[in-house]
Every structure is written in structure tokens, then in C-alpha cells.
Amino acid sequence: MYDYDSISELCLAAEEKGLKISELVLADQAEQLEAPAEELYTRMERSLAVMEEAVKAGLDPNLRSTSGLTGGDAAKMWRYASGGGLAGALLNRAIARSLAVAEYNAAMGKIVAAPTAGSCGILPGTVASLLAEGLCTRREAVMSLFTAGAFGMVIARKASISGAEGGCQAECGSACAMAAAALAELRGGTPDMCAQAAAIAIKNQLGLVCDPVAGLVEIPCIKRNAAGTALAFAAADMALAGISSRIPADECIEAMREVGESIPCSLRETAGGGLAATPTGRRLREQVYGPEK
């Protein structure tokens, strides 16, 4: 059984056994939980189904958050993607799906916190997109979520997945790394390529602060899900091309922890700094809660 303390140990174990990371993790979790592997697979498949349902609901052009601050952007992006756009139809539809889930979360819809509610759009924007676009089978998509989960467990143990503790790098950054690893596996990457993809993703989210306007998981959180989705694709593609991160994944995670500890409290989910403290950010807060007393 594995302790999920190290990406390198996880990858080495998979390579030694000739398994994908997801196959290793499913077998290990079945042993640890003393449950049939197919039962755990079914549970994960239900999580994927919730992601898909959230995408569908979030694409409603009339969807609005409880605060009234957000909603409807996913539908705009979906329409725009039909023309291809600068980044191409696949990526733009993936971005639309990530926006849809994040907006549905803000509207109090049912989502999968993967690893958190604030970063809930990134895995649906990546894994669910490949499935919807016919680029993988349903079983492959479900299995890739075990890989994503394992990477998330390592990050949670070595650093943090909490915006209040480590800034948005701990939420969207972690989700981006998890998604990049899952994408790499889905497209035939080796365990090492999954690790490289995760490392590249983390490096490019390092230092991202958590500054929610009005203290709500809406602005800028929703659009950060879209950015994290795009970055996950880029990181996975680089790893699949054979590009390595000169800093190993485990060291990137350690750096994430150290950076998170150095981020001021005002930039760790308190809505005390960053975008939350801008004139418009303060005005939007008053719009939701009324003038400060």
C-alpha cells in the first residue's frame, strides 16, 4: 500500500509494475478500503456523471449566481467556440465547460469539489471534455480521475489544497496539476509524463493569490477555472511532446507549500487584498451586502 507522500514514488511503483498510475491507484485503494475495485470504479463514475450534469446545467444562458454577480458567460463561450476562435474549437469548448461548472457552483448547483469547490471547473473542463469530444472512452475518463485524485492526495499532504492556507495556487493550481496528469495519461503518456505535466502546471500557477470579491467563490475564481483548464492542456501537451520540467514535481509541490506560507493573510481567501480590494471590488461587495458600517 502507498502513503501518497511522493509523486516520484507513485510513478516508480507504476512503472515497475507496468501499470498506468490509475490502475495502480485503483488496486491500492481497493486494498486499503477493503472494497472491490469495481465498486470504487462505480463511485468514481458517479462523480464523472455529476461533472457532466453540472456542465449541462451551467451552459444555460439564463443561469445566474445567488449574488447576481455572475452567470451566463459559459453560454457565451460555447457559442463563440462554434466558430473556432483563436485557440480552436476543442480548447474553447473545454473552457466553456469549465466556466459552466464554476458558474453552476456559484448558483448553488451540485458539483464535484475536485479538489475544492473553488476549482471545480478544471477537471470537468479537461477530462469530461475529452470524453465529450470522443477523444477517450468512458472507462478511460473514469480511470484518469484516479490518477488526478492520487496527485491531489500528494499535493494535499506535501503542501495544501486550501485557498485560506496557500492561496489560489493551492486550489486552482492543484486542480490544474491534477488535470494535466490525467490528460497526459488519457493521451497515452507514461507515468513520468504525467508527473512532468503536473510539474509544469504547478510552476505556472505558483504564487497565485486567493482574493475573492465580496468573499464569494465567483470573481475572479470562475475565470481562473477557465485559465487553469487551458494551462492543463498546455502542460499535458508539453509533457507528451517529451518536454521535461527541470524542477521535479515533488520539488514543485514543496515550493508551492513554501510560497503559500509566505503569502500575506490579506491574499489568502480573506477578501482583504488583491482584486477584492480594488474600487470595483469594493463596489461589488456593497452591491451584495450593502454599505459597510
Side-chain angles (χ1 to χ4, degrees):
M1 293 189 290
Y2 303 98
D3 292 327
Y4 300 96
D5 288 327
S6 164
I7 297 294
S8 60
E9 290 178 3
L10 190 64
C11 292
L12 180 61
E15 288 168 351
E16 287 179 344
K17 293 177 181 291
L19 299 173
K20 295 179 181 179
I21 292 174
S22 59
E23 294 169 337
L24 176 75
V25 172
L26 177 55
D28 180 61
Q29 291 293 296
E31 182 181 352
Q32 287 198 33
L33 298 174
E34 298 181 350
E38 206 56 33
E39 178 183 320
L40 300 184
Y41 173 89
T42 300
R43 289 186 204 172
M44 190 66 85
E45 187 174 25
R46 286 199 292 268
S47 293
L48 177 60
V50 171
M51 292 180 185
E52 292 173 312
E53 290 162 8
V55 168
K56 182 178 179 180
L59 287 172
D60 180 354
N62 298 313
L63 181 73
R64 294 296 181 272
S65 66
T66 304
S67 70
L69 294 179
T70 57
D73 284 344
K76 293 177 184 176
M77 195 67 197
W78 189 262
R79 288 194 299 271
Y80 173 76
S82 65
L86 292 172
L90 171 62
L91 182 55
N92 281 323
R93 282 195 293 266
I95 289 171
R97 291 185 182 97
S98 67
L99 290 171
V101 176
E103 288 186 332
Y104 191 52
N105 172 62
M108 302 300 170
K110 182 180 180 180
I111 53 90
V112 178
T116 65
S119 59
C120 65
I122 295 176
L123 270 171
T126 51
V127 172
S129 281
L130 258 62
L131 176 58
E133 301 285 340
L135 296 174
C136 67
T137 66
R138 187 165 195 83
R139 185 166 187 87
E140 288 169 339
V142 174
M143 289 299 292
S144 76
L145 294 178
F146 284 99
T147 295
F151 275 68
M153 289 170 70
V154 174
I155 294 170
R157 289 195 176 188
K158 292 172 70 76
S160 175
I161 56 170
S162 165
E165 187 175 17
C168 196
Q169 60 164 13
E171 296 205 20
C172 284
S174 297
C176 182
M178 292 162 62
L183 286 175
E185 181 175 293
L186 277 172
R187 299 304 291 167
T190 63
D192 181 65
M193 285 177 174
C194 295
Q196 300 301 336
I200 292 168
I202 291 170
K203 289 195 298 187
N204 284 283
Q205 293 273 37
L206 207 60
L208 186 60
V209 301
C210 186
D211 50 353
V213 170
L216 302 171
V217 187
E218 297 187 49
I219 305 170
C221 319
I222 292 172
K223 294 181 179 68
R224 283 183 180 161
N225 276 261
T229 296
L231 176 55
F233 275 99
D237 268 335
M238 282 190 271
L240 290 166
I243 297 172
S244 299
S245 169
R246 298 302 294 270
I247 309 298
D250 289 309
E251 292 182 32
C252 289
I253 296 170
E254 290 285 356
M256 178 193 285
R257 178 186 58 78
E258 293 173 4
V259 170
E261 290 173 351
S262 69
I263 292 176
C265 183
S266 62
L267 298 174
R268 284 191 276 171
E269 212 173 320
T270 59
L275 296 174
T278 61
T280 299
R282 292 195 298 269
R283 177 178 60 78
L284 291 173
R285 184 193 183 284
E286 289 189 3
Q287 180 179 315
V288 175
Y289 300 116
E292 289 189 59
K293 297 180 181 179

